[in-house]
Amino acid sequence: MGKPSLSVVAASTNLTKNLVGAGIFSLPWALRQGSLLPGLATFVTVGFVQASSFVLIAFLCDRLGTRTYRGVLSAGFGDRWGSIVDTLISVNAMSVCVAYNILIADFCEKAVEGLFGWICPRSIIVWASTLAITLPLSHVRNLSRLSFTSVLGLAIICFVIAYVSLDFLRNLSVAHG
């Protein structure tokens, strides 16, 4: 197997988009359930733990001379543990795909009804997004060609954050003014 062809900038952009994109879906609900200050404290704590984990994994990869999670675990605990890590990564990836398909279905169901007045069963939207998006992407060997979509996705996320923040501030001044 050859050297990975994804540049550091493309990999960083993709990672940032994935982390921010996944968090942006759950943050409003989490803050509503747990209230603002405890929610933000938890958010910062979990962010610190995850950032520390990334740094630790990078340190171990450098120290052990490996480039994969499997290599780190195999170097520390033996080859059998490498297979366990592969299994856990596969289960995590499958869970993320299911979660994204559910989110896509939730958003599309409301959008289709609101924009066109059509009532489309959720199960059809889940199947359509699975067959049209998740299944083809799961068979692509090299995702570096999708780096443009990662940059575009990150730009859209930044736009949405700015829009929601400005809308919040505008409504805050109307509510208190």
Side-chain angles (χ1 to χ4, degrees):
M1 190 151 112
K3 187 176 178 183
S5 61
L6 194 62
S7 71
V8 173
V9 173
S12 300
T13 302
N14 191 24
L15 182 62
T16 302
K17 183 191 71 72
N18 288 331
L19 292 173
V20 173
I24 207 166
F25 286 134
S26 59
L27 188 59
W29 180 84
L31 291 178
R32 183 173 181 214
Q33 297 300 317
S35 77
L36 186 61
L37 292 179
L40 287 177
T42 303
F43 179 67
V44 168
T45 303
V46 169
F48 176 76
V49 169
Q50 289 188 343
S52 300
S53 298
F54 282 131
V55 169
L56 179 61
I57 291 168
F59 172 78
L60 288 172
C61 282
D62 184 52
R63 183 83 170 196
L64 297 171
T66 185
R67 298 175 62 95
T68 64
Y69 292 122
R70 180 186 184 104
V72 169
L73 223 57
S74 293
F77 299 103
D79 287 336
R80 188 180 62 155
W81 286 91
S83 298
I84 292 172
V85 141
D86 286 345
T87 302
L88 292 174
I89 288 172
S90 297
V91 168
N92 181 53
M94 185 180 73
S95 302
V96 168
C97 288
V98 169
Y100 273 117
N101 283 329
I102 290 170
L103 287 170
I104 289 169
D106 288 345
F107 294 136
C108 287
E109 184 179 27
K110 290 176 180 68
V112 165
E113 186 177 344
L115 292 172
F116 305 112
W118 303 336
I119 296 177
C120 188
R122 190 168 184 258
S123 59
I124 290 176
I125 297 173
V126 169
W127 276 106
S129 67
T130 300
L131 294 174
I133 300 169
T134 308
L135 186 63
L137 284 176
S138 69
H139 289 17
V140 175
R141 183 92 170 129
N142 184 356
L143 295 176
S144 64
R145 293 179 296 206
L146 298 175
S147 61
F148 171 74
T149 59
S150 292
V151 172
L152 182 63
L154 192 56
I156 290 170
I157 289 170
C158 291
F159 174 76
V160 168
I161 290 171
Y163 178 80
V164 169
S165 299
L166 289 172
D167 188 55
F168 171 76
L169 292 173
R170 224 177 305 138
N171 288 329
L172 185 66
S173 64
V174 169
H176 294 296

